[in-house]
Amino acid sequence: MAYASTPQASLHSRTRSVQIGLLRASLCAALVLLLAVPASAADREDAAIRTALASGLRPTVVPADTALPHWSLQQRMSQHNVPGVAIAVLRDGKLVHSAGYGTREMGTQAAVNADTLFSVGSVSKVVTAATSLRLVADGTLVTIFRVGATRSKACD
């Protein structure tokens, strides 16, 4: 039995194509991050960043009558009970600093280095959104949904 092509079927097909395109873009971005960063990380050092991590961390908000505190990364890790972190700093899309601090797990001696992988949780949602919006801005990805429209009217 042959089905007639309807505007709704065509719209569904385009919507599905956009969803698949977003999924592909997200997977590509994740793959690039997973493969490119560890291969080039190898503990690069930047003196200014090293100094900031040693004693230049500050709070986002400080009351007006309070002196500005300066913390070390080790102090902040201790305060929040974080056994270890891996840090990568990018400037203009290039890796300028990467290093590991602390241990992989509380109570162990396995050190963190620049290539240690951690679970990123919901951070991937932000990366996917930013990558998708960049592709839309570049004209590589075309969306058919209007922001703020209700679900039933999103594709009109």
mmCIF file of all heavy atoms in Angstrom, residues 30-82:
data_model
loop_
_atom_site.group_PDB
_atom_site.id
_atom_site.type_symbol
_atom_site.label_atom_id
_atom_site.label_comp_id
_atom_site.label_asym_id
_atom_site.label_seq_id
_atom_site.Cartn_x
_atom_site.Cartn_y
_atom_site.Cartn_z
ATOM 1 N N ALA A 30 32.060 15.756 20.453
ATOM 2 C CA ALA A 30 32.528 14.936 21.567
ATOM 3 C C ALA A 30 33.740 14.105 21.166
ATOM 4 O O ALA A 30 34.705 13.997 21.918
ATOM 5 C CB ALA A 30 31.400 14.020 22.054
ATOM 6 N N LEU A 31 33.711 13.553 19.968
ATOM 7 C CA LEU A 31 34.827 12.748 19.488
ATOM 8 C C LEU A 31 36.089 13.589 19.341
ATOM 9 O O LEU A 31 37.178 13.174 19.744
ATOM 10 C CB LEU A 31 34.467 12.093 18.151
ATOM 11 C CG LEU A 31 35.466 11.094 17.593
ATOM 12 C CD1 LEU A 31 35.676 9.945 18.569
ATOM 13 C CD2 LEU A 31 34.983 10.561 16.265
ATOM 14 N N VAL A 32 35.941 14.789 18.798
ATOM 15 C CA VAL A 32 37.093 15.680 18.654
ATOM 16 C C VAL A 32 37.674 16.011 20.021
ATOM 17 O O VAL A 32 38.877 15.975 20.220
ATOM 18 C CB VAL A 32 36.701 16.970 17.901
ATOM 19 C CG1 VAL A 32 37.756 18.043 18.035
ATOM 20 C CG2 VAL A 32 36.447 16.656 16.435
ATOM 21 N N LEU A 33 36.800 16.328 20.983
ATOM 22 C CA LEU A 33 37.279 16.645 22.328
ATOM 23 C C LEU A 33 37.968 15.450 22.975
ATOM 24 O O LEU A 33 39.006 15.588 23.609
ATOM 25 C CB LEU A 33 36.117 17.109 23.209
ATOM 26 C CG LEU A 33 35.558 18.483 22.882
ATOM 27 C CD1 LEU A 33 34.300 18.743 23.703
ATOM 28 C CD2 LEU A 33 36.578 19.573 23.130
ATOM 29 N N LEU A 34 37.402 14.280 22.817
ATOM 30 C CA LEU A 34 37.987 13.097 23.439
ATOM 31 C C LEU A 34 39.299 12.678 22.794
ATOM 32 O O LEU A 34 40.220 12.230 23.465
ATOM 33 C CB LEU A 34 37.002 11.927 23.381
ATOM 34 C CG LEU A 34 35.800 12.047 24.307
ATOM 35 C CD1 LEU A 34 34.825 10.905 24.047
ATOM 36 C CD2 LEU A 34 36.233 12.051 25.755
ATOM 37 N N LEU A 35 39.396 12.820 21.482
ATOM 38 C CA LEU A 35 40.595 12.360 20.788
ATOM 39 C C LEU A 35 41.692 13.417 20.704
ATOM 40 O O LEU A 35 42.863 13.104 20.830
ATOM 41 C CB LEU A 35 40.229 11.883 19.378
ATOM 42 C CG LEU A 35 39.322 10.653 19.324
ATOM 43 C CD1 LEU A 35 38.988 10.316 17.887
ATOM 44 C CD2 LEU A 35 39.956 9.471 20.014
ATOM 45 N N ALA A 36 41.322 14.660 20.472
ATOM 46 C CA ALA A 36 42.325 15.694 20.226
ATOM 47 C C ALA A 36 43.016 16.166 21.499
ATOM 48 O O ALA A 36 44.223 16.330 21.527
ATOM 49 C CB ALA A 36 41.692 16.886 19.522
ATOM 50 N N VAL A 37 42.256 16.383 22.564
ATOM 51 C CA VAL A 37 42.848 16.943 23.771
ATOM 52 C C VAL A 37 43.869 16.007 24.413
ATOM 53 O O VAL A 37 44.989 16.405 24.649
ATOM 54 C CB VAL A 37 41.749 17.376 24.775
ATOM 55 C CG1 VAL A 37 42.363 17.812 26.082
ATOM 56 C CG2 VAL A 37 40.935 18.507 24.170
ATOM 57 N N PRO A 38 43.558 14.726 24.662
ATOM 58 C CA PRO A 38 44.577 13.874 25.289
ATOM 59 C C PRO A 38 45.829 13.711 24.436
ATOM 60 O O PRO A 38 46.919 13.640 24.957
ATOM 61 C CB PRO A 38 43.864 12.527 25.466
ATOM 62 C CG PRO A 38 42.430 12.869 25.527
ATOM 63 C CD PRO A 38 42.277 14.043 24.599
ATOM 64 N N ALA A 39 45.675 13.692 23.126
ATOM 65 C CA ALA A 39 46.837 13.503 22.256
ATOM 66 C C ALA A 39 47.796 14.680 22.329
ATOM 67 O O ALA A 39 48.988 14.532 22.132
ATOM 68 C CB ALA A 39 46.377 13.290 20.818
ATOM 69 N N SER A 40 47.280 15.870 22.618
ATOM 70 C CA SER A 40 48.138 17.046 22.629
ATOM 71 C C SER A 40 48.339 17.622 24.028
ATOM 72 O O SER A 40 48.991 18.630 24.187
ATOM 73 C CB SER A 40 47.550 18.111 21.710
ATOM 74 O OG SER A 40 46.267 18.490 22.168
ATOM 75 N N ALA A 41 47.754 17.017 25.049
ATOM 76 C CA ALA A 41 47.790 17.598 26.380
ATOM 77 C C ALA A 41 49.156 17.535 27.042
ATOM 78 O O ALA A 41 49.667 18.537 27.497
ATOM 79 C CB ALA A 41 46.748 16.918 27.268
ATOM 80 N N ALA A 42 49.731 16.376 27.136
ATOM 81 C CA ALA A 42 51.065 16.109 27.678
ATOM 82 C C ALA A 42 51.646 17.202 28.572
ATOM 83 O O ALA A 42 52.725 17.711 28.336
ATOM 84 C CB ALA A 42 52.029 15.794 26.543
ATOM 85 N N ASP A 43 50.947 17.586 29.603
ATOM 86 C CA ASP A 43 51.407 18.543 30.611
ATOM 87 C C ASP A 43 52.109 19.774 30.046
ATOM 88 O O ASP A 43 53.284 20.010 30.305
ATOM 89 C CB ASP A 43 52.311 17.847 31.634
ATOM 90 C CG ASP A 43 51.505 16.985 32.593
ATOM 91 O OD1 ASP A 43 50.302 17.225 32.723
ATOM 92 O OD2 ASP A 43 52.093 16.081 33.190
ATOM 93 N N ARG A 44 51.388 20.579 29.294
ATOM 94 C CA ARG A 44 51.929 21.863 28.841
ATOM 95 C C ARG A 44 51.824 22.839 29.994
ATOM 96 O O ARG A 44 50.872 22.830 30.739
ATOM 97 C CB ARG A 44 51.121 22.391 27.650
ATOM 98 C CG ARG A 44 51.310 21.554 26.432
ATOM 99 C CD ARG A 44 50.651 22.194 25.267
ATOM 100 N NE ARG A 44 50.808 21.319 24.116
ATOM 101 C CZ ARG A 44 50.632 21.708 22.891
ATOM 102 N NH1 ARG A 44 50.287 22.929 22.623
ATOM 103 N NH2 ARG A 44 50.795 20.864 21.907
ATOM 104 N N GLU A 45 52.801 23.699 30.107
ATOM 105 C CA GLU A 45 52.845 24.642 31.212
ATOM 106 C C GLU A 45 52.834 26.078 30.722
ATOM 107 O O GLU A 45 53.469 26.409 29.731
ATOM 108 C CB GLU A 45 54.114 24.424 32.055
ATOM 109 C CG GLU A 45 54.096 23.158 32.885
ATOM 110 C CD GLU A 45 53.162 23.237 34.067
ATOM 111 O OE1 GLU A 45 52.966 24.331 34.639
ATOM 112 O OE2 GLU A 45 52.598 22.193 34.426
ATOM 113 N N ASP A 46 52.084 26.915 31.391
ATOM 114 C CA ASP A 46 52.073 28.346 31.153
ATOM 115 C C ASP A 46 52.320 28.984 32.511
ATOM 116 O O ASP A 46 51.558 28.738 33.453
ATOM 117 C CB ASP A 46 50.723 28.767 30.558
ATOM 118 C CG ASP A 46 50.648 30.247 30.286
ATOM 119 O OD1 ASP A 46 50.581 31.030 31.271
ATOM 120 O OD2 ASP A 46 50.644 30.635 29.106
ATOM 121 N N ALA A 47 53.362 29.787 32.627
ATOM 122 C CA ALA A 47 53.776 30.327 33.928
ATOM 123 C C ALA A 47 52.679 31.153 34.594
ATOM 124 O O ALA A 47 52.460 31.044 35.807
ATOM 125 C CB ALA A 47 55.039 31.163 33.766
ATOM 126 N N ALA A 48 51.965 31.986 33.831
ATOM 127 C CA ALA A 48 50.918 32.824 34.415
ATOM 128 C C ALA A 48 49.775 31.971 34.962
ATOM 129 O O ALA A 48 49.237 32.250 36.038
ATOM 130 C CB ALA A 48 50.399 33.815 33.381
ATOM 131 N N ILE A 49 49.435 30.939 34.239
ATOM 132 C CA ILE A 49 48.356 30.060 34.696
ATOM 133 C C ILE A 49 48.812 29.277 35.924
ATOM 134 O O ILE A 49 48.063 29.130 36.887
ATOM 135 C CB ILE A 49 47.904 29.119 33.562
ATOM 136 C CG1 ILE A 49 47.288 29.950 32.434
ATOM 137 C CG2 ILE A 49 46.928 28.069 34.083
ATOM 138 C CD1 ILE A 49 47.028 29.190 31.166
ATOM 139 N N ARG A 50 50.045 28.803 35.904
ATOM 140 C CA ARG A 50 50.588 28.077 37.059
ATOM 141 C C ARG A 50 50.551 28.970 38.304
ATOM 142 O O ARG A 50 50.173 28.534 39.389
ATOM 143 C CB ARG A 50 52.015 27.610 36.768
ATOM 144 C CG ARG A 50 52.530 26.632 37.783
ATOM 145 C CD ARG A 50 53.866 25.992 37.418
ATOM 146 N NE ARG A 50 54.349 26.277 36.085
ATOM 147 C CZ ARG A 50 55.380 27.081 35.808
ATOM 148 N NH1 ARG A 50 56.040 27.671 36.787
ATOM 149 N NH2 ARG A 50 55.771 27.273 34.569
ATOM 150 N N THR A 51 50.922 30.250 38.157
ATOM 151 C CA THR A 51 50.902 31.207 39.277
ATOM 152 C C THR A 51 49.473 31.419 39.768
ATOM 153 O O THR A 51 49.223 31.444 40.973
ATOM 154 C CB THR A 51 51.518 32.547 38.849
ATOM 155 O OG1 THR A 51 52.866 32.312 38.439
ATOM 156 C CG2 THR A 51 51.486 33.566 39.975
ATOM 157 N N ALA A 52 48.538 31.581 38.839
ATOM 158 C CA ALA A 52 47.135 31.778 39.227
ATOM 159 C C ALA A 52 46.605 30.573 40.000
ATOM 160 O O ALA A 52 45.886 30.737 40.990
ATOM 161 C CB ALA A 52 46.279 32.030 37.993
ATOM 162 N N LEU A 53 46.977 29.383 39.573
ATOM 163 C CA LEU A 53 46.517 28.179 40.265
ATOM 164 C C LEU A 53 47.187 28.023 41.624
ATOM 165 O O LEU A 53 46.622 27.427 42.542
ATOM 166 C CB LEU A 53 46.777 26.940 39.405
ATOM 167 C CG LEU A 53 45.935 26.850 38.130
ATOM 168 C CD1 LEU A 53 46.408 25.695 37.261
ATOM 169 C CD2 LEU A 53 44.465 26.732 38.447
ATOM 170 N N ALA A 54 48.388 28.570 41.777
ATOM 171 C CA ALA A 54 49.116 28.469 43.046
ATOM 172 C C ALA A 54 48.556 29.417 44.105
ATOM 173 O O ALA A 54 48.550 29.094 45.285
ATOM 174 C CB ALA A 54 50.595 28.747 42.840
ATOM 175 N N SER A 55 48.074 30.604 43.676
ATOM 176 C CA SER A 55 47.592 31.554 44.696
ATOM 177 C C SER A 55 46.657 32.619 44.147
ATOM 178 O O SER A 55 46.416 33.617 44.816
ATOM 179 C CB SER A 55 48.786 32.255 45.350
ATOM 180 O OG SER A 55 49.479 33.020 44.371
ATOM 181 N N GLY A 56 46.115 32.438 42.972
ATOM 182 C CA GLY A 56 45.317 33.506 42.381
ATOM 183 C C GLY A 56 43.851 33.218 42.179
ATOM 184 O O GLY A 56 43.156 33.962 41.500
ATOM 185 N N LEU A 57 43.322 32.135 42.759
ATOM 186 C CA LEU A 57 41.900 31.843 42.595
ATOM 187 C C LEU A 57 41.092 32.746 43.520
ATOM 188 O O LEU A 57 41.451 32.958 44.670
ATOM 189 C CB LEU A 57 41.614 30.373 42.902
ATOM 190 C CG LEU A 57 42.369 29.360 42.039
ATOM 191 C CD1 LEU A 57 41.992 27.952 42.441
ATOM 192 C CD2 LEU A 57 42.091 29.586 40.570
ATOM 193 N N ARG A 58 39.998 33.304 42.976
ATOM 194 C CA ARG A 58 39.180 34.248 43.733
ATOM 195 C C ARG A 58 37.710 33.864 43.649
ATOM 196 O O ARG A 58 37.296 33.206 42.699
ATOM 197 C CB ARG A 58 39.358 35.652 43.180
ATOM 198 C CG ARG A 58 40.797 36.107 43.165
ATOM 199 C CD ARG A 58 40.916 37.435 42.521
ATOM 200 N NE ARG A 58 40.568 37.327 41.107
ATOM 201 C CZ ARG A 58 40.822 38.256 40.205
ATOM 202 N NH1 ARG A 58 41.388 39.362 40.554
ATOM 203 N NH2 ARG A 58 40.474 38.087 38.948
ATOM 204 N N PRO A 59 36.919 34.341 44.602
ATOM 205 C CA PRO A 59 35.478 34.089 44.529
ATOM 206 C C PRO A 59 34.837 34.955 43.455
ATOM 207 O O PRO A 59 35.406 35.966 43.028
ATOM 208 C CB PRO A 59 34.978 34.478 45.922
ATOM 209 C CG PRO A 59 35.973 35.468 46.413
ATOM 210 C CD PRO A 59 37.287 35.071 45.803
ATOM 211 N N THR A 60 33.655 34.566 43.017
ATOM 212 C CA THR A 60 32.928 35.343 42.019
ATOM 213 C C THR A 60 32.405 36.636 42.620
ATOM 214 O O THR A 60 32.450 37.688 41.989
ATOM 215 C CB THR A 60 31.746 34.515 41.476
ATOM 216 O OG1 THR A 60 32.257 33.287 40.984
ATOM 217 C CG2 THR A 60 31.027 35.236 40.365
ATOM 218 N N VAL A 61 31.912 36.572 43.845
ATOM 219 C CA VAL A 61 31.327 37.739 44.516
ATOM 220 C C VAL A 61 31.981 37.895 45.880
ATOM 221 O O VAL A 61 32.162 36.918 46.604
ATOM 222 C CB VAL A 61 29.796 37.563 44.691
ATOM 223 C CG1 VAL A 61 29.195 38.737 45.430
ATOM 224 C CG2 VAL A 61 29.128 37.353 43.351
ATOM 225 N N VAL A 62 32.309 39.147 46.210
ATOM 226 C CA VAL A 62 32.899 39.458 47.514
ATOM 227 C C VAL A 62 32.137 40.639 48.091
ATOM 228 O O VAL A 62 31.919 41.635 47.390
ATOM 229 C CB VAL A 62 34.398 39.823 47.380
ATOM 230 C CG1 VAL A 62 34.985 40.203 48.730
ATOM 231 C CG2 VAL A 62 35.178 38.684 46.770
ATOM 232 N N PRO A 63 31.717 40.562 49.359
ATOM 233 C CA PRO A 63 31.048 41.718 49.977
ATOM 234 C C PRO A 63 31.955 42.954 49.915
ATOM 235 O O PRO A 63 33.185 42.840 49.977
ATOM 236 C CB PRO A 63 30.818 41.275 51.424
ATOM 237 C CG PRO A 63 30.832 39.780 51.365
ATOM 238 C CD PRO A 63 31.784 39.425 50.255
ATOM 239 N N ALA A 64 31.362 44.115 49.787
ATOM 240 C CA ALA A 64 32.108 45.367 49.597
ATOM 241 C C ALA A 64 33.125 45.635 50.703
ATOM 242 O O ALA A 64 34.186 46.179 50.442
ATOM 243 C CB ALA A 64 31.132 46.529 49.479
ATOM 244 N N ASP A 65 32.831 45.274 51.926
ATOM 245 C CA ASP A 65 33.741 45.585 53.043
ATOM 246 C C ASP A 65 34.710 44.442 53.365
ATOM 247 O O ASP A 65 35.336 44.432 54.408
ATOM 248 C CB ASP A 65 32.923 45.947 54.287
ATOM 249 C CG ASP A 65 31.966 44.838 54.704
ATOM 250 O OD1 ASP A 65 31.718 43.917 53.887
ATOM 251 O OD2 ASP A 65 31.473 44.883 55.838
ATOM 252 N N THR A 66 34.865 43.485 52.445
ATOM 253 C CA THR A 66 35.732 42.325 52.664
ATOM 254 C C THR A 66 36.931 42.371 51.726
ATOM 255 O O THR A 66 36.796 42.701 50.549
ATOM 256 C CB THR A 66 34.949 41.017 52.412
ATOM 257 O OG1 THR A 66 33.776 41.022 53.218
ATOM 258 C CG2 THR A 66 35.785 39.804 52.745
ATOM 259 N N ALA A 67 38.101 42.024 52.267
ATOM 260 C CA ALA A 67 39.306 41.962 51.430
ATOM 261 C C ALA A 67 39.173 40.802 50.443
ATOM 262 O O ALA A 67 38.572 39.773 50.757
ATOM 263 C CB ALA A 67 40.540 41.765 52.310
ATOM 264 N N LEU A 68 39.731 40.981 49.265
ATOM 265 C CA LEU A 68 39.659 39.953 48.225
ATOM 266 C C LEU A 68 40.581 38.792 48.578
ATOM 267 O O LEU A 68 41.801 38.951 48.642
ATOM 268 C CB LEU A 68 40.066 40.552 46.875
ATOM 269 C CG LEU A 68 39.974 39.622 45.678
ATOM 270 C CD1 LEU A 68 38.520 39.205 45.438
ATOM 271 C CD2 LEU A 68 40.522 40.306 44.440
ATOM 272 N N PRO A 69 40.030 37.608 48.828
ATOM 273 C CA PRO A 69 40.888 36.463 49.155
ATOM 274 C C PRO A 69 41.541 35.895 47.891
ATOM 275 O O PRO A 69 41.028 36.054 46.788
ATOM 276 C CB PRO A 69 39.919 35.455 49.761
ATOM 277 C CG PRO A 69 38.601 35.791 49.175
ATOM 278 C CD PRO A 69 38.624 37.273 48.899
ATOM 279 N N HIS A 70 42.667 35.267 48.066
ATOM 280 C CA HIS A 70 43.359 34.563 46.981
ATOM 281 C C HIS A 70 43.631 33.155 47.481
ATOM 282 O O HIS A 70 44.283 32.973 48.503
ATOM 283 C CB HIS A 70 44.679 35.261 46.618
ATOM 284 C CG HIS A 70 44.468 36.586 45.987
ATOM 285 N ND1 HIS A 70 44.185 36.750 44.658
ATOM 286 C CD2 HIS A 70 44.476 37.833 46.514
ATOM 287 C CE1 HIS A 70 44.042 38.026 44.381
ATOM 288 N NE2 HIS A 70 44.206 38.713 45.494
ATOM 289 N N TRP A 71 43.087 32.175 46.754
ATOM 290 C CA TRP A 71 43.245 30.787 47.159
ATOM 291 C C TRP A 71 44.118 30.047 46.169
ATOM 292 O O TRP A 71 44.210 30.410 44.997
ATOM 293 C CB TRP A 71 41.896 30.085 47.204
ATOM 294 C CG TRP A 71 40.910 30.659 48.177
ATOM 295 C CD1 TRP A 71 41.077 30.821 49.515
ATOM 296 C CD2 TRP A 71 39.606 31.130 47.866
ATOM 297 N NE1 TRP A 71 39.937 31.360 50.072
ATOM 298 C CE2 TRP A 71 39.020 31.559 49.074
ATOM 299 C CE3 TRP A 71 38.860 31.223 46.700
ATOM 300 C CZ2 TRP A 71 37.739 32.077 49.149
ATOM 301 C CZ3 TRP A 71 37.585 31.736 46.769
ATOM 302 C CH2 TRP A 71 37.040 32.158 47.978
ATOM 303 N N SER A 72 44.692 28.967 46.629
ATOM 304 C CA SER A 72 45.394 28.054 45.721
ATOM 305 C C SER A 72 44.401 26.982 45.266
ATOM 306 O O SER A 72 43.366 26.763 45.910
ATOM 307 C CB SER A 72 46.576 27.389 46.429
ATOM 308 O OG SER A 72 46.110 26.442 47.371
ATOM 309 N N LEU A 73 44.727 26.332 44.188
ATOM 310 C CA LEU A 73 43.895 25.235 43.714
ATOM 311 C C LEU A 73 43.819 24.147 44.784
ATOM 312 O O LEU A 73 42.749 23.581 45.034
ATOM 313 C CB LEU A 73 44.447 24.666 42.397
ATOM 314 C CG LEU A 73 43.668 23.500 41.818
ATOM 315 C CD1 LEU A 73 42.237 23.890 41.486
ATOM 316 C CD2 LEU A 73 44.368 22.958 40.585
ATOM 317 N N GLN A 74 44.928 23.859 45.446
ATOM 318 C CA GLN A 74 44.947 22.836 46.491
ATOM 319 C C GLN A 74 43.992 23.203 47.637
ATOM 320 O O GLN A 74 43.303 22.343 48.173
ATOM 321 C CB GLN A 74 46.375 22.634 47.026
ATOM 322 C CG GLN A 74 47.332 22.057 46.008
ATOM 323 C CD GLN A 74 46.938 20.651 45.570
ATOM 324 O OE1 GLN A 74 46.276 19.918 46.269
ATOM 325 N NE2 GLN A 74 47.362 20.285 44.365
ATOM 326 N N GLN A 75 43.948 24.487 48.017
ATOM 327 C CA GLN A 75 43.042 24.919 49.082
ATOM 328 C C GLN A 75 41.580 24.703 48.667
ATOM 329 O O GLN A 75 40.763 24.240 49.459
ATOM 330 C CB GLN A 75 43.257 26.395 49.414
ATOM 331 C CG GLN A 75 44.534 26.677 50.150
ATOM 332 C CD GLN A 75 44.784 28.167 50.266
ATOM 333 O OE1 GLN A 75 44.600 28.922 49.313
ATOM 334 N NE2 GLN A 75 45.207 28.586 51.461
ATOM 335 N N ARG A 76 41.249 25.055 47.433
ATOM 336 C CA ARG A 76 39.869 24.899 46.948
ATOM 337 C C ARG A 76 39.496 23.420 46.832
ATOM 338 O O ARG A 76 38.385 23.031 47.160
ATOM 339 C CB ARG A 76 39.680 25.601 45.605
ATOM 340 C CG ARG A 76 39.938 27.096 45.659
ATOM 341 C CD ARG A 76 39.122 27.788 46.715
ATOM 342 N NE ARG A 76 37.739 27.919 46.260
ATOM 343 C CZ ARG A 76 36.733 28.303 47.031
ATOM 344 N NH1 ARG A 76 36.938 28.599 48.283
ATOM 345 N NH2 ARG A 76 35.530 28.385 46.550
ATOM 346 N N MET A 77 40.425 22.606 46.364
ATOM 347 C CA MET A 77 40.160 21.173 46.269
ATOM 348 C C MET A 77 39.896 20.601 47.666
ATOM 349 O O MET A 77 38.967 19.816 47.852
ATOM 350 C CB MET A 77 41.338 20.451 45.604
ATOM 351 C CG MET A 77 41.454 20.722 44.122
ATOM 352 S SD MET A 77 43.008 20.139 43.391
ATOM 353 C CE MET A 77 42.999 18.409 43.845
ATOM 354 N N SER A 78 40.700 21.011 48.641
ATOM 355 C CA SER A 78 40.536 20.539 50.011
ATOM 356 C C SER A 78 39.194 20.995 50.583
ATOM 357 O O SER A 78 38.480 20.209 51.208
ATOM 358 C CB SER A 78 41.685 21.057 50.863
ATOM 359 O OG SER A 78 41.505 20.677 52.201
ATOM 360 N N GLN A 79 38.839 22.247 50.368
ATOM 361 C CA GLN A 79 37.581 22.792 50.889
ATOM 362 C C GLN A 79 36.372 22.032 50.340
ATOM 363 O O GLN A 79 35.404 21.813 51.048
ATOM 364 C CB GLN A 79 37.462 24.274 50.546
ATOM 365 C CG GLN A 79 36.167 24.884 51.051
ATOM 366 C CD GLN A 79 36.030 26.345 50.694
ATOM 367 O OE1 GLN A 79 36.916 26.954 50.131
ATOM 368 N NE2 GLN A 79 34.893 26.919 51.030
ATOM 369 N N HIS A 80 36.425 21.627 49.086
ATOM 370 C CA HIS A 80 35.293 20.951 48.450
ATOM 371 C C HIS A 80 35.439 19.430 48.410
ATOM 372 O O HIS A 80 34.674 18.743 47.736
ATOM 373 C CB HIS A 80 35.090 21.497 47.035
ATOM 374 C CG HIS A 80 34.678 22.938 47.023
ATOM 375 N ND1 HIS A 80 33.422 23.352 47.400
ATOM 376 C CD2 HIS A 80 35.363 24.055 46.701
ATOM 377 C CE1 HIS A 80 33.345 24.668 47.296
ATOM 378 N NE2 HIS A 80 34.511 25.119 46.884
ATOM 379 N N ASN A 81 36.445 18.896 49.117
ATOM 380 C CA ASN A 81 36.692 17.446 49.180
ATOM 381 C C ASN A 81 36.849 16.816 47.804
ATOM 382 O O ASN A 81 36.283 15.764 47.504
ATOM 383 C CB ASN A 81 35.590 16.734 49.965
ATOM 384 C CG ASN A 81 35.557 17.160 51.412
ATOM 385 O OD1 ASN A 81 36.603 17.257 52.051
ATOM 386 N ND2 ASN A 81 34.387 17.441 51.921
ATOM 387 N N VAL A 82 37.616 17.477 46.944
ATOM 388 C CA VAL A 82 37.889 16.980 45.595
ATOM 389 C C VAL A 82 39.291 16.383 45.603
ATOM 390 O O VAL A 82 40.260 17.098 45.850
ATOM 391 C CB VAL A 82 37.799 18.123 44.557
ATOM 392 C CG1 VAL A 82 38.228 17.651 43.187
ATOM 393 C CG2 VAL A 82 36.390 18.691 44.528
#
